[in-house]
Amino acid sequence: MLGRAHLKRKAEAMEDKPQFLPANDDEERAEEKNIRKESASKSFRPTRRSFLTQLGVAGITATAAPLLARAPAAPPPVEVPQETPATVPGAVPVVLNINGKDYRLTLDPRTTVLDTLRENLNMFGTKKGCDHGQCGACTVHINGRRVNSCLTFAVMHQGDKITTIEGLAQGGELHPVQAAFIECDGFQCGYCTPGQIMSGAALLKEPVGPADDDVREMMSGNLCRCGAYDNIVAAVQSARKKSSSQS
Amino acid sequence: MEIFQYQDAKTVDDAVSANAGHSGVKFVAGGTTLIDLMKLNVETPQVLIDINRLPLTQVESTSDGGVKIGAMVRNSDLANHELITKQYPVLSQALRSGASPQLRNMATTGGNLLQRTRCYYFRDTAYTACNKRNPGSGCAAIDGFNRIHAILGTSEHCIATHPSDMAVAMMALEATVHTQSSHGERSIALDEFYLVPGNTPQKENVLQPGELITYVTLPPLANGMRSYYLKLRDRASYEFALSSAAVVVQMNGGKIVRARVALGGVATKPWRSHEAENALEGQAANEKTFQAGAEAALRGARPLHDNAFKVKLAQLCLTRALRVATGSNENAT
């Protein structure tokens, strides 16, 4: 049997907490910074990612000890840049609405929505698998429809509403598909899971037949190398039943 | 990926005047082919004109009883549109068999018509020999691994298969492509839209540089016309066709009065088979007729070492599609 710790780890994998600050306006930014400082001073609770990042840095520090003898022993938490510097000629200002917040960015027009989320906004919940629209790990919702965020440039989405796995839960409540994935154990390693869940959540609003095979067909754009397909189908079916009985 | 300059077009006039046909200027719609190929450095546009805000998103009835489809209608919206599911089920079936739900939400009607081939040698710039990518450089596929390649419409310069499902159904429905450019508007029958590779595999259709697809129209179907799309592939879902068939038939008693046949996955363009249509029309809808139609369709096939199986596969695909479309085997769906 899998223990509670296992489930907790899975739940964390499903909702990789972002470590960004919204750039709506300077006041809001300053306010949020203060809140963050306060909470950080009260209790330092590392996320899975910050823990791993520091582990990596610590590892490098240890092997390079003679060279970095004067380096501080515990590096501070990774600071996320507020805005991407315009490093490439032709970079353009872009405002993106992600999970209900506007972000002002300066982007190389080659930057996909996926890379913007991960590299510019430190929202790591959306995963990069194949980067060619073949695996579905990068699935997000744009204006309520599921799309492959690796195959579309961020600059093409000003004025669109982008929802990522980080924005799926509402008011601290998991989305029914997120809850169903935990209930049905719809994953093993968890890497494809955010994409699977974003697909499953969109599927609830699409014309899809009632059978498991209908779900399989409509989830075929999301590959799972662990082969957790049976439980993924069960999770989507469970969420569909619950949402149809509620509506 | 090469750097490009991005431009946003608000109107069709904006788009075509921004793209006056200079080399290096490309329209981007759903991006599912173009951005994929830009990542592979197969496509290297210098200017990208975003046409996603163009008001070409309607599916509407035409006065003659047909349908007019905006070039920016997404594949999923077209597949699920009432006018299409009711009047042109073959088109819904073809669209739903293509790609994944995510990609169908992105891909557009105009873009789907212009999909590029999945030939591995075209997509991988490590292979220098590709006449489509680099005219005059040769064809790595002819003596390479060519299991997915074409057996119809090939030349000694290119054997790349056209990957679209949608276009195969539209071919059987006798669609017309409508375009606009700085020179004005024009209409092109889909049957005359695509080019076989011949000596110029880099030229896949008759569009001029800077010409934008604005609409596709489908003529009305006569009462009692039946249609069906069958796709055979290596996986049950989310895979390109090894062989597909779109069939539109009009029956009278047990006889096929009118037949429109197109094949996918086996040809260098969505393949309308007038040969199969001639063999089917006026004949009784039975196994012998279907077989004759299938043999006629593949008579000109030029199989290579890895794709010879496609001759038989395409024949079986077409006979089965005909069986279903003519109602000769209601259980075959």
Side-chain angles (χ1 to χ4, degrees):
Chain A
M1 272 303 288
L2 299 167
R4 187 172 292 180
H6 173 74
L7 279 180
K8 187 163 177 290
R9 184 165 54 79
K10 284 189 166 183
E12 282 170 4
M14 290 164 63
E15 201 183 0
D16 231 335
K17 286 283 184 205
Q19 309 169 19
F20 56 84
L21 294 175
N24 273 347
D25 58 61
D26 291 341
E27 251 179 57
E28 191 181 331
R29 206 185 298 173
E31 201 177 298
E32 288 221 18
K33 230 176 199 170
N34 285 337
I35 294 168
R36 220 164 84 127
K37 254 185 214 158
E38 261 180 52
S39 61
S41 64
K42 272 178 194 158
S43 63
F44 175 68
R45 199 174 146 274
T47 64
R48 185 176 59 101
R49 179 168 300 274
S50 69
F51 173 75
L52 288 173
T53 309
Q54 286 175 38
L55 200 69
V57 173
I60 293 162
T61 312
T63 47
L67 288 172
L68 298 170
R70 299 178 68 185
V78 180
E79 275 297 318
V80 177
Q82 298 301 302
E83 278 187 17
T84 315
T87 49
V88 176
V92 287
V94 178
V95 181
L96 291 180
N97 185 287
I98 302 164
N99 300 327
K101 279 179 185 159
D102 282 342
Y103 294 86
R104 285 197 187 88
L105 301 155
T106 305
L107 294 175
D108 181 328
R110 292 174 290 188
T111 319
T112 59
V113 170
L114 173 62
D115 285 338
T116 306
L117 292 168
R118 294 184 59 87
E119 308 299 331
N120 297 85
L121 295 168
N122 286 10
M123 297 170 80
F124 301 112
T126 307
K127 303 302 184 203
K128 182 179 279 198
C130 68
D131 210 22
H132 284 276
Q134 298 175 4
C135 77
C138 68
T139 303
V140 301
H141 298 177
I142 297 186
N143 299 331
R145 298 153 61 102
R146 51 172 155 160
V147 300
N148 299 106
S149 64
C150 73
L151 280 189
T152 194
F153 295 123
V155 67
M156 293 162 64
H157 292 288
Q158 306 210 61
D160 289 341
K161 291 200 176 305
I162 301 170
T163 307
T164 70
I165 189 74
E166 289 93 344
L168 202 58
Q170 291 297 322
E173 283 280 312
L174 289 182
H175 184 281
V177 175
Q178 287 177 307
F181 266 71
I182 296 174
E183 174 198 309
C184 300
D185 200 22
F187 33 64
Q188 285 185 39
C189 83
Y191 194 81
C192 73
T193 309
Q196 299 277 1
I197 289 175
M198 293 310 282
S199 257
L203 184 152
L204 298 187
K205 294 175 279 178
E206 293 170 359
V208 182
D212 284 359
D213 275 352
D214 298 320
V215 172
R216 267 180 236 283
E217 168 62 28
M218 291 302 280
M219 290 295 288
S220 70
N222 292 81
L223 306 190
C224 168
R225 289 193 69 176
C226 301
Y229 293 112
D230 282 354
N231 292 8
I232 291 168
V233 172
V236 173
Q237 288 289 46
S238 165
R240 291 177 87 195
K241 275 181 200 113
K242 277 176 193 158
S243 25
S244 66
S245 65
Q246 274 166 14
S247 58
Chain B
M1 194 189 297
E2 299 293 325
I3 185 75
F4 57 85
Q5 191 202 331
Y6 172 84
Q7 287 179 29
D8 194 8
K10 299 280 190 299
T11 65
V12 173
D13 287 340
D14 272 2
V16 297
S17 61
N19 186 346
H22 298 299
S23 62
V25 185
K26 284 252 176 200
F27 296 119
V28 63
T32 55
T33 289
L34 181 57
I35 295 176
D36 181 29
L37 291 176
M38 285 168 72
K39 288 183 176 194
L40 297 170
N41 281 333
V42 172
E43 294 273 14
T44 53
Q46 287 149 10
V47 179
L48 212 51
I49 300 169
D50 184 354
I51 56 171
N52 280 283
R53 312 286 169 193
L54 297 190
L56 300 172
T57 55
Q58 298 296 311
V59 181
E60 50 203 341
S61 295
T62 52
S63 53
D64 66 352
V67 68
K68 179 182 177 189
I69 303 160
M72 293 306 297
V73 175
R74 310 285 160 173
N75 285 180
S76 52
D77 295 328
L78 187 58
N80 294 327
H81 198 283
E82 209 184 7
L83 283 175
I84 305 301
T85 54
K86 291 218 170 109
Q87 289 186 55
Y88 308 97
V90 64
L91 180 54
S92 273
Q93 290 157 357
L95 283 161
R96 285 177 184 154
S97 77
S100 69
Q102 289 98 312
L103 291 167
R104 294 197 291 271
N105 276 344
M106 307 171 80
T108 61
T109 307
N112 191 316
L113 290 174
L114 303 180
Q115 264 189 89
R116 308 298 303 275
T117 183
R118 304 301 294 187
C119 172
Y120 337 104
Y121 304 102
F122 170 74
R123 290 174 55 82
D124 189 343
T125 55
Y127 292 94
T128 48
C130 174
N131 287 323
K132 196 182 271 300
R133 183 160 35 78
N134 185 13
S137 62
C139 173
I142 287 176
D143 293 318
F145 184 60
N146 48 37
R147 180 173 177 271
I148 66 165
H149 289 78
I151 52 175
L152 290 167
T154 57
S155 76
E156 59 188 305
H157 303 291
C158 186
I159 56 168
T161 317
H162 195 278
S164 174
D165 294 295
M166 184 197 81
V168 177
M170 285 186 171
M171 198 63 91
L173 291 168
E174 302 186 288
T176 301
V177 179
H178 303 264
T179 69
Q180 190 172 327
S181 70
S182 47
H183 304 296
E185 298 177 22
R186 65 171 177 152
S187 304
I188 309 152
L190 190 59
D191 204 11
E192 289 157 17
F193 180 78
Y194 292 106
L195 301 171
V196 289
N199 294 325
T200 53
Q202 73 278 11
K203 188 133 182 61
E204 295 172 4
N205 55 59
V206 301
L207 285 183
Q208 296 298 313
E211 194 172 5
L212 176 72
I213 298 175
T214 46
Y215 300 97
V216 173
T217 50
L218 303 178
L221 292 189
N223 270 347
M225 289 276 262
R226 303 173 57 135
S227 67
Y228 188 62
Y229 187 75
L230 177 65
K231 179 175 181 178
L232 305 177
R233 44 188 158 172
D234 282 328
R235 294 185 294 211
S237 179
Y238 200 11
E239 181 59 279
F240 292 92
L242 285 172
S243 180
S244 73
V247 175
V248 181
V249 290
Q250 186 175 13
M251 303 289 293
N252 189 354
K255 241 182 187 178
I256 302 170
V257 180
R258 188 181 149 96
R260 294 292 174 266
V261 173
L263 303 179
V266 290
T268 50
K269 62 175 194 170
W271 192 257
R272 171 90 179 263
S273 180
H274 297 282
E275 298 85 354
E277 293 167 9
N278 291 336
L280 293 165
E281 286 183 350
Q283 304 297 313
N286 58 34
E287 284 301 312
K288 198 175 151 222
T289 301
F290 303 155
Q291 191 61 42
E295 279 171 16
L298 275 298
R299 200 156 287 145
R302 280 185 290 192
L304 293 152
H305 39 95
D306 297 319
N307 66 4
F309 74 99
K310 282 192 173 183
V311 178
K312 186 74 180 165
L313 190 72
Q315 287 178 346
L316 291 171
C317 184
L318 179 53
T319 46
R320 198 170 130 200
L322 285 165
R323 227 175 275 144
V324 179
T326 57
S328 306
N329 179 0
E330 297 291 357
N331 300 324
T333 46

Coordinates of all heavy atoms in Angstrom, one line a residue, chain B residues 2-7 18-28 34 38 42-50 208-210:
Chain B
E2 N 15.2 30.8 -35.9 CA 15.7 32.1 -36.4 C 14.8 33.2 -35.9 O 13.6 33.0 -35.7 CB 15.7 32.1 -38.0 CG 16.5 31.1 -38.7 CD 18.0 31.3 -38.5 OE1 18.4 32.5 -38.4 OE2 18.8 30.3 -38.4
I3 N 15.4 34.3 -35.7 CA 14.6 35.5 -35.2 C 13.7 36.0 -36.3 O 14.1 35.9 -37.5 CB 15.6 36.6 -34.7 CG1 14.8 37.8 -34.1 CG2 16.5 37.1 -35.8 CD1 14.2 37.5 -32.7
F4 N 12.6 36.5 -35.9 CA 11.6 37.0 -37.0 C 11.0 38.3 -36.4 O 11.0 38.5 -35.2 CB 10.5 36.0 -37.3 CG 9.7 35.5 -36.1 CD1 8.6 36.3 -35.7 CD2 10.1 34.4 -35.4 CE1 7.9 35.9 -34.6 CE2 9.4 34.0 -34.3 CZ 8.3 34.7 -33.9
Q5 N 10.4 39.1 -37.3 CA 9.7 40.2 -36.9 C 8.2 39.9 -36.8 O 7.7 39.3 -37.8 CB 10.0 41.4 -37.9 CG 9.5 42.7 -37.5 CD 9.3 43.6 -38.7 OE1 9.9 43.5 -39.7 NE2 8.3 44.5 -38.6
Y6 N 7.6 40.3 -35.8 CA 6.2 39.9 -35.6 C 5.2 41.0 -35.9 O 5.5 42.2 -35.5 CB 5.9 39.5 -34.1 CG 4.5 39.3 -33.7 CD1 3.9 38.1 -34.0 CD2 3.8 40.3 -33.1 CE1 2.5 37.9 -33.6 CE2 2.4 40.1 -32.8 CZ 1.8 38.9 -33.0 OH 0.5 38.7 -32.7
Q7 N 4.2 40.7 -36.7 CA 3.2 41.8 -37.0 C 1.8 41.2 -36.8 O 1.5 40.0 -37.1 CB 3.3 42.2 -38.4 CG 4.5 43.1 -38.7 CD 4.5 43.5 -40.2 OE1 3.5 43.6 -40.8 NE2 5.7 43.8 -40.7
A18 N 0.3 43.7 -45.8 CA 1.6 43.5 -45.0 C 2.4 42.4 -45.7 O 3.6 42.4 -45.7 CB 1.3 43.1 -43.6
N19 N 1.7 41.4 -46.3 CA 2.4 40.4 -47.0 C 2.3 40.6 -48.5 O 1.4 40.0 -49.1 CB 1.9 39.0 -46.6 CG 2.7 37.9 -47.1 OD1 3.5 38.1 -48.0 ND2 2.5 36.7 -46.6
A20 N 3.2 41.3 -49.0 CA 3.1 41.6 -50.5 C 3.8 40.6 -51.3 O 4.1 40.7 -52.5 CB 3.7 43.0 -50.7
G21 N 4.0 39.4 -50.6 CA 4.6 38.3 -51.3 C 6.1 38.3 -51.4 O 6.7 37.6 -52.1
H22 N 6.8 39.1 -50.5 CA 8.2 39.1 -50.4 C 8.6 37.7 -49.8 O 7.9 37.2 -48.9 CB 8.7 40.2 -49.5 CG 8.4 41.6 -50.0 ND1 8.9 42.0 -51.3 CD2 7.7 42.6 -49.5 CE1 8.4 43.2 -51.5 NE2 7.7 43.6 -50.5
S23 N 9.7 37.2 -50.3 CA 10.1 35.9 -49.7 C 10.5 36.2 -48.2 O 10.9 37.2 -47.9 CB 11.3 35.4 -50.4 OG 12.4 36.2 -50.3
G24 N 10.2 35.2 -47.4 CA 10.5 35.4 -46.0 C 9.3 36.0 -45.2 O 9.5 36.1 -44.0
V25 N 8.2 36.3 -45.8 CA 7.0 36.7 -45.1 C 6.0 35.6 -45.0 O 5.7 35.0 -46.1 CB 6.4 38.0 -45.7 CG1 5.2 38.5 -44.9 CG2 7.4 39.1 -45.9
K26 N 5.5 35.3 -43.8 CA 4.6 34.1 -43.7 C 3.4 34.6 -42.8 O 3.6 35.4 -41.9 CB 5.3 33.0 -43.0 CG 6.2 32.2 -43.9 CD 5.7 30.8 -44.2 CE 6.6 30.1 -45.2 NZ 5.9 29.0 -45.9
F27 N 2.3 34.0 -43.1 CA 1.1 34.2 -42.2 C 1.2 33.1 -41.2 O 1.6 31.9 -41.5 CB -0.2 34.0 -43.0 CG -0.5 35.0 -44.1 CD1 -0.6 34.6 -45.4 CD2 -0.6 36.3 -43.7 CE1 -0.8 35.6 -46.4 CE2 -0.9 37.3 -44.7 CZ -1.0 36.9 -46.0
V28 N 0.8 33.4 -39.9 CA 0.7 32.4 -38.9 C -0.7 32.4 -38.4 O -1.3 33.4 -38.0 CB 1.7 32.5 -37.7 CG1 1.5 33.8 -37.0 CG2 1.7 31.3 -36.8
L34 N 3.5 25.4 -38.7 CA 4.6 26.4 -38.9 C 5.5 26.5 -37.7 O 6.7 26.5 -37.9 CB 3.9 27.7 -39.2 CG 4.9 28.9 -39.6 CD1 5.8 28.5 -40.7 CD2 4.2 30.2 -39.8
M38 N 9.4 25.8 -37.6 CA 10.3 26.8 -37.2 C 11.3 26.3 -36.1 O 12.5 26.6 -36.2 CB 9.6 28.1 -36.7 CG 8.9 28.8 -37.9 SD 7.8 30.1 -37.3 CE 8.9 31.3 -36.7
V42 N 13.3 24.2 -40.3 CA 12.8 23.9 -41.6 C 12.1 25.1 -42.3 O 12.3 25.4 -43.4 CB 11.9 22.7 -41.6 CG1 11.3 22.4 -43.0 CG2 12.6 21.4 -41.2
E43 N 11.4 25.8 -41.4 CA 10.8 27.1 -41.9 C 11.5 28.2 -41.2 O 11.8 28.1 -39.9 CB 9.3 27.1 -41.4 CG 8.4 26.1 -42.1 CD 7.8 26.6 -43.4 OE1 8.4 27.6 -44.0 OE2 6.9 26.0 -43.9
T44 N 11.9 29.2 -41.9 CA 12.7 30.3 -41.3 C 12.2 31.7 -41.8 O 12.9 32.4 -42.5 CB 14.2 30.2 -41.7 OG1 14.3 30.0 -43.1 CG2 14.9 29.0 -41.1
P45 N 10.9 32.0 -41.5 CA 10.4 33.2 -41.9 C 11.1 34.4 -41.2 O 11.5 34.3 -40.1 CB 8.9 33.2 -41.5 CG 8.9 32.2 -40.4 CD 10.0 31.2 -40.7
Q46 N 11.2 35.5 -42.0 CA 11.8 36.7 -41.4 C 10.7 37.6 -40.8 O 11.0 38.4 -39.9 CB 12.6 37.5 -42.4 CG 13.9 36.8 -42.8 CD 14.3 37.0 -44.2 OE1 13.8 37.9 -44.9 NE2 15.3 36.3 -44.7
V47 N 9.6 37.5 -41.4 CA 8.4 38.3 -40.9 C 7.3 37.3 -40.7 O 7.0 36.5 -41.6 CB 8.0 39.4 -41.8 CG1 6.8 40.2 -41.3 CG2 9.2 40.4 -42.1
L48 N 6.6 37.4 -39.6 CA 5.5 36.6 -39.3 C 4.3 37.5 -39.1 O 4.2 38.3 -38.2 CB 5.7 35.8 -38.0 CG 5.2 34.4 -37.9 CD1 5.5 33.5 -39.1 CD2 5.7 33.7 -36.6
I49 N 3.2 37.3 -39.9 CA 2.0 38.1 -39.8 C 1.0 37.2 -39.1 O 0.5 36.2 -39.7 CB 1.6 38.6 -41.2 CG1 2.7 39.4 -41.8 CG2 0.3 39.3 -41.1 CD1 2.5 39.7 -43.2
D50 N 0.6 37.6 -37.9 CA -0.4 36.9 -37.1 C -1.8 37.2 -37.7 O -2.3 38.4 -37.6 CB -0.2 37.4 -35.7 CG -1.1 36.6 -34.7 OD1 -2.0 35.8 -35.2 OD2 -1.0 36.8 -33.5
Q208 N -0.1 32.0 -54.8 CA 1.0 32.8 -55.1 C 1.6 33.4 -53.8 O 0.8 33.5 -52.8 CB 0.5 34.0 -56.0 CG 0.0 33.6 -57.4 CD 1.1 32.9 -58.2 OE1 2.2 33.4 -58.3 NE2 0.8 31.7 -58.7
P209 N 2.8 33.8 -53.8 CA 3.4 34.4 -52.6 C 2.5 35.6 -52.1 O 2.1 36.4 -52.9 CB 4.8 34.9 -53.0 CG 5.1 34.1 -54.1 CD 3.8 33.7 -54.8
G210 N 2.2 35.6 -50.8 CA 1.3 36.7 -50.3 C -0.1 36.5 -50.4 O -0.9 37.3 -50.0

